[in-house]
Amino acid sequence: MINIMLSAALVLFGVAILISLYRIIIGPSLPDRVIALDMIGVHLVSAIAIISVLFHTTAFLEVILILAILSFISTIAFSKYIERGVIIERKHDS
Amino acid sequence: MKINNVILKTVTKVVIYIILTLAVYLFLAGHNSPGGGFIGGLVLSTAFVLLFIVYDIETIQKALPFDFKKVAALGAFLAVGTGFGSFVFDVPFLTQAFGYFNLPFFGEVELTTVTIFELGVALVVVGVVVTIILSISEDV
């Protein structure tokens, strides 16, 4: 019973990722695509948690943390590129 | 236009300690569970890249006065040095040893020389990744 529920949750996460992918493909502006990429990262984190419950292992828990950190940093890099046009500045102009 | 991204800077000051702790945990856990020198070095360089993105290069290089090319060279020296250290004991190249020691706080711990090799790998990864990122960002 619990396996069926976990599999259904995985399928629902797959549907959510597909919807985000649709937003990435047709998104009219760049910030739409960045938000959709961040959403895919969050859904992947949740899907990995459910997969690690389904496989009865704790070996994937580091993957969750690392994926969350990478999603955070890539979103910040994209946002800074959209805002400033440069990701790493030589000298702060303030 | 002057931009004051105080939320980003405050969040970074908290998050950077979590990332550094995760990097050290991944480095030390590599013997018995997923992790190791390579992924520990990658997470560590991720923390440095986050600092370089949120602040600027000159501020961070004043706070962290490393030459990252020399860090990579030191890592390669450590990794090769553990290999040559096995010649002292008249055993083949890169032979690793381990032993059980009683440390005062941790109790009985297994200490290996593979840890030094993995430290070399982690330093090489950090040096190479940060050098690549800084070299790409030069031309602005």
Side-chain angles (χ1 to χ4, degrees), chain A residues 17-88:
Chain A
I17 287 177
L18 280 183
I19 293 172
S20 312
L21 210 57
Y22 174 75
R23 176 51 64 191
I24 287 180
I25 291 171
I26 67 139
S29 64
L30 190 53
D32 287 333
R33 296 190 168 97
V34 174
I35 293 293
L37 272 175
D38 196 33
M39 223 163 99
I40 284 185
V42 173
H43 286 145
L44 275 179
V45 165
S46 316
I48 289 170
I50 287 179
I51 283 173
S52 74
V53 175
L54 211 52
F55 286 176
H56 298 289
T57 176
T58 58
F60 296 154
L61 298 185
E62 287 91 356
V63 180
I64 294 174
L65 280 168
I66 294 174
L67 196 55
I69 288 171
L70 288 184
S71 169
F72 172 67
I73 290 179
S74 58
T75 308
I76 283 179
F78 264 122
S79 316
K80 192 156 182 191
Y81 174 69
I82 291 171
E83 196 181 44
R84 306 294 294 266
V86 50
I87 296 179
I88 299 180

Side-chain angles (χ1 to χ4, degrees), chain B residues 27-44:
Chain B
F27 173 73
L28 290 178
H31 201 59
N32 299 315
S33 58
F38 185 75
I39 196 68
L42 272 183
V43 175
L44 200 59

Side-chain angles (χ1 to χ4, degrees), chain A residues 73 80 89-92, chain B residues 46 53 56-58 138:
Chain A
I73 290 179
K80 192 156 182 191
E89 294 163 277
R90 160 61 57 188
K91 181 87 181 73
H92 208 276
Chain B
T46 304
I53 287 176
D56 53 316
I57 293 181
E58 287 190 359
E138 281 292 321

Side-chain angles (χ1 to χ4, degrees), chain B:
Chain B
M1 187 173 69
K2 195 171 161 186
I3 293 179
N4 188 12
N5 44 5
V6 62
I7 295 178
L8 184 58
K9 287 184 179 179
T10 311
V11 166
T12 301
K13 279 174 195 163
V14 179
V15 162
I16 205 77
Y17 289 105
I18 302 174
I19 300 178
L20 290 175
T21 312
L22 178 68
V24 174
Y25 165 73
L26 279 176
F27 173 73
L28 290 178
H31 201 59
N32 299 315
S33 58
F38 185 75
I39 196 68
L42 272 183
V43 175
L44 200 59
S45 56
T46 304
F48 289 149
V49 168
L50 177 64
L51 281 179
F52 279 121
I53 287 176
V54 172
Y55 297 91
D56 53 316
I57 293 181
E58 287 190 359
T59 309
I60 299 303
Q61 277 187 342
K62 203 161 59 185
L64 298 169
F66 311 133
D67 188 358
F68 282 97
K69 293 187 277 296
K70 285 177 185 167
V71 170
L74 176 68
F77 175 75
L78 269 182
V80 178
T82 56
F84 278 106
S86 60
F87 286 146
V88 177
F89 302 98
D90 203 12
V91 285
F93 185 61
L94 276 177
T95 304
Q96 309 288 344
F98 66 96
Y100 294 93
F101 296 94
N102 248 322
L103 294 187
F105 182 66
F106 298 101
E108 192 175 22
V109 190
E110 181 191 10
L111 293 180
T112 67
T113 57
V114 186
T115 309
I116 307 173
F117 182 78
E118 288 286 312
L119 183 65
V121 173
L123 286 182
V124 167
V125 170
V126 169
V128 168
V129 170
V130 178
T131 304
I132 287 175
I133 295 290
L134 289 185
S135 310
I136 290 174
S137 72
E138 281 292 321
D139 182 24
V140 177

